[in-house]
Amino acid sequence: MQEQDDLITRARAWLAEDPDQETADELAQLIAAGDTAELADRFSGTLQFGTAGLRGEIGAGPMRMNRSVVIRAAAGLAAYLKAQGRAGGLVVIGYDARYKSADFARDTAAVMTGAGLRAAVLPRPLPTPVLAYAIRHLGAVAGVEVTASHNPPRDNGYKVYLGDGSQIVSPADTQIAAEIARVTTLASVPRPESGWEELGDEVLEAYLARTDAVLSPGSARGVRTVYTAMHGVGKDVVLAAFARHGFPEPVLVAEQAEPDPAFPTVAFPNPEEPGAMDLAFARAAEVQPDIVIANDPDADRCAVAVPTAEGSGWRMLRGDEVGALLAAHLVHKGATGVFAESIVSSSLLGRIAEAAGVGYEETLTGFKWIARVDGLRYGYEEALGYCVDPEGVRDKDGITAALLVAELASELKEQGRTLTDLLDDLAMAHGLHATDQLSVRVSDLSVIANAMAQLRAEPPASLAGLRVVAADDLTQGTETLPPTDGLRYYLEGDYKARVIVRPSGTEPKLKCYLEVVVPVADAADLAPARARGQEILDAIKKDLAAAAGI
């Protein structure tokens, strides 16, 4: 009973200073109904910084995304910046079109201004890469993007960048969290009604001008594209970028072209999710473009689809396939520097880099790590993220990636070839790198913890009949990687099979990344190699699910 009384007391204290009438009413109803199970969930702790800052479902309480949580997060960030000697520095703030995003952006600007920092807010909902660009362009000491990227409609998030334009990593995340924990009440956080700058379109214009650096002067620009913004903020910037560089105007998926926080046509607004691309493929069937391009809602990711081999439909390229295509294109364009990827992405990038004589590096998952690679020229991650102009945007950027894909597809089109033909070339040069993923979405996070614990307690001796010859518990770190919650297995044999298991940093998912490399002698070997690769991947997936108890 004492525990229940304490829970109600904490909920009432939170309610007393909630600045948002909507979440205040929601919490008052839960208290009045005596819904202690729901209250216990919302007051079981506080949202923590993960792979991409804060992210969670919108609602009342410290375990939800709301104005109270955002004000505390902004106050913690401001205190951290001042402790780092950045008092008086500029913090630039961007936001997407999700529920509460504009409110969270305004609260952040008010807190920064009240703390003695300068704040500037982008003029309207814009792609995350525009914010990442603005940090470096304006010489800011930090940046905040209010977005939940491709998460479900009820989610929102708070992504924090430092002055180099890349996302926070340890120890900044824990230091900011410590400052957030010191915020006792919202009344202790000054929040003036004005004093920050509302930016105009000059930053967006500068970003679009920077996209000139992505393309080669005089390169082919003839590819015909169907484009979907997935109910997000990418459409206007993509259309402006394509027009600026002389590409044919993409044909829009009208039902998904405008921002809509309800995401009414998709279960999850992520091009990787089943069904999310159905409307785009239907539009492509009508107009018969060369390629289909999709952004996720904040347009930092880029998905690409190509006609199927038999020409009767469309196939989404895996992120690893697009990552390899862009790498090959950059090599062809004479790129130098370091090509980087996270450990969950295909090893094909390393083969391409080695053959081209450019540097190569693996990092932990997330662009907060990829962006920090010394000498970075190109970075990608299998979850549809590509950094093709690190000097402009030190993060994944679905706009510039779309431009580079369009340039590559245009050049191939002039030669009578396709993206699929180039993938075949890469398979014959380096082996067929077949990848797949076992991804399990859960409502109870203990399922993920139990699966990881089971794999550690009883690690699989073999998968798909291939003996596990090496296993890394990545919580211990390696010679080249800091510690992270993950497991990595290498399997015996010529297929160089590899498995990585980790909890997602942004969604309630357990994610398992699988790869096998099948040798290919010539074009006649491609079809059997693909079949053999998928056969092994399917068997690994089945055995891994059993071993993890999922």
Side-chain angles (χ1 to χ4, degrees):
M1 190 66 179
Q2 176 62 40
E3 196 172 292
Q4 183 173 320
D5 290 345
D6 179 59
L7 177 62
I8 297 295
T9 299
R10 285 187 289 133
R12 284 179 174 150
W14 185 275
L15 173 62
E17 61 174 16
D18 191 333
D20 187 326
Q21 192 62 51
E22 185 178 347
T23 50
D25 289 346
E26 176 188 312
L27 184 55
Q29 290 170 12
L30 291 173
I31 294 170
D35 192 342
T36 53
E38 182 66 20
L39 289 170
D41 181 52
R42 291 167 183 245
F43 286 83
S44 60
T46 59
L47 288 181
Q48 299 296 310
F49 280 97
T51 305
L54 292 171
R55 196 173 291 187
E57 184 178 347
I58 295 171
M63 285 296 289
R64 299 289 188 269
M65 282 297 298
N66 51 65
R67 290 183 61 199
S68 297
V69 164
V70 164
I71 290 166
R72 285 176 164 82
L77 174 59
Y80 165 82
L81 291 171
K82 292 165 75 173
Q84 297 294 312
R86 299 288 191 258
L90 173 68
V91 178
V92 61
I93 302 152
Y95 58 103
D96 67 10
R98 283 178 176 266
Y99 295 118
K100 306 284 186 185
S101 284
D103 294 336
F104 295 167
R106 187 183 186 281
D107 283 332
T108 301
V111 171
M112 295 302 160
T113 303
L117 291 136
R118 292 180 295 124
V121 184
L122 293 182
R124 59 184 175 280
L126 286 168
T128 292
V130 176
L131 180 277
Y133 168 81
I135 296 166
R136 293 163 68 87
H137 176 67
L138 298 174
V141 298
V144 171
E145 176 71 14
V146 180
T147 181
S149 190
H150 57 283
N151 275 42
R154 285 300 302 170
D155 286 5
N156 213 328
Y158 199 79
K159 186 181 290 190
V160 177
Y161 297 78
L162 295 182
D164 62 354
S166 56
Q167 297 172 48
I168 56 169
V169 295
S170 183
D173 53 356
T174 54
Q175 291 168 350
I176 293 169
E179 296 290 356
I180 294 170
R182 293 191 181 98
V183 179
T184 53
T185 65
L186 294 194
S188 69
V189 181
R191 285 178 285 142
E193 291 295 319
S194 61
W196 56 90
E197 181 182 1
E198 299 280 355
L199 294 168
D201 279 345
E202 63 278 358
V203 170
L204 176 58
E205 292 303 320
Y207 168 83
L208 287 168
R210 176 69 205 183
T211 62
D212 295 355
V214 176
L215 305 176
S216 299
S219 62
R221 309 282 165 93
V223 72
R224 295 178 301 109
T225 305
V226 159
Y227 170 75
T228 176
M230 205 67 68
H231 298 297
V233 297
K235 181 200 71 173
D236 291 345
V237 183
V238 165
L239 291 182
F242 271 59
R244 177 185 181 89
H245 296 295
F247 289 100
E249 182 176 351
V251 175
L252 298 177
V253 179
E255 302 94 324
Q256 299 175 332
E258 300 301 328
D260 187 337
F263 302 104
T265 69
V266 290
F268 293 97
N270 178 355
E272 293 179 295
E273 292 284 349
M277 294 291 288
D278 286 356
L279 287 173
F281 293 160
R283 192 76 177 105
E286 293 170 2
V287 301
Q288 295 297 307
D290 300 304
I291 57 174
V292 174
I293 289 178
N295 286 137
D296 66 338
D298 69 328
D300 64 349
R301 300 173 191 237
C302 176
V304 181
V306 297
T308 55
E310 60 275 10
S312 59
W314 290 82
R315 178 177 82 85
M316 268 275 289
L317 296 181
R318 291 188 173 277
D320 284 320
E321 292 177 305
V322 177
L325 288 168
L326 292 178
H329 186 43
L330 288 169
V331 166
H332 178 69
K333 285 156 67 84
T336 59
V338 178
F339 286 16
E341 64 180 342
S342 63
I343 57 173
V344 300
S345 304
S346 172
S347 60
L348 177 56
L349 183 67
R351 307 291 80 75
I352 293 171
E354 182 181 24
V358 301
Y360 169 75
E361 192 166 327
E362 272 190 328
T363 74
L364 292 184
T365 308
F367 269 82
K368 64 181 184 179
W369 298 110
I370 293 171
R372 284 180 160 73
V373 169
D374 288 339
L376 181 68
R377 174 58 187 87
Y378 167 65
Y380 99 90
E381 192 155 69
E382 57 74 44
L384 309 182
Y386 315 95
C387 175
V388 302
D389 178 26
E391 291 306 306
V393 175
R394 228 164 169 77
D395 196 5
K396 55 186 176 291
D397 182 347
I399 311 295
T400 50
L403 286 173
L404 201 59
V405 166
E407 180 185 60
L408 171 57
S410 296
E411 290 188 355
L412 290 167
K413 183 178 179 179
E414 283 198 346
Q415 301 163 18
R417 306 179 73 235
T418 65
L419 296 177
T420 303
D421 293 328
L422 182 53
L423 286 171
D424 289 346
D425 292 348
L426 293 172
M428 286 185 282
H430 306 291
L432 179 75
H433 287 63
T435 60
D436 205 347
Q437 191 178 127
L438 171 63
S439 181
V440 181
R441 185 181 294 273
V442 302
S443 54
D444 179 359
L445 291 177
S446 68
V447 173
I448 295 174
N450 292 341
M452 296 297 290
Q454 182 164 324
L455 287 171
R456 288 187 168 106
E458 300 179 43
S462 67
L463 296 167
L466 301 171
R467 187 167 53 89
V468 176
V469 294
D472 299 327
D473 188 338
L474 298 175
T475 55
Q476 309 303 311
T478 70
E479 289 184 5
T480 56
L481 298 171
T484 189
D485 186 9
L487 298 164
R488 180 168 57 184
Y489 306 110
Y490 293 99
L491 310 186
E492 68 177 341
D494 296 336
Y495 292 120
K496 302 184 179 71
R498 184 197 69 186
V499 175
I500 296 170
V501 184
R502 59 179 283 274
S504 170
T506 57
E507 297 179 89
K509 283 183 174 181
L510 181 69
K511 303 184 86 169
C512 311
Y513 307 84
L514 325 175
E515 180 179 49
V516 299
V517 183
V518 185
V520 176
D522 53 39
D525 284 345
L526 285 168
R530 286 197 180 91
R532 179 58 178 150
Q534 194 58 54
E535 179 186 350
I536 299 170
L537 290 171
D538 289 344
I540 291 175
K541 202 185 291 190
K542 180 181 177 182
D543 290 352
L544 184 63
I550 54 174

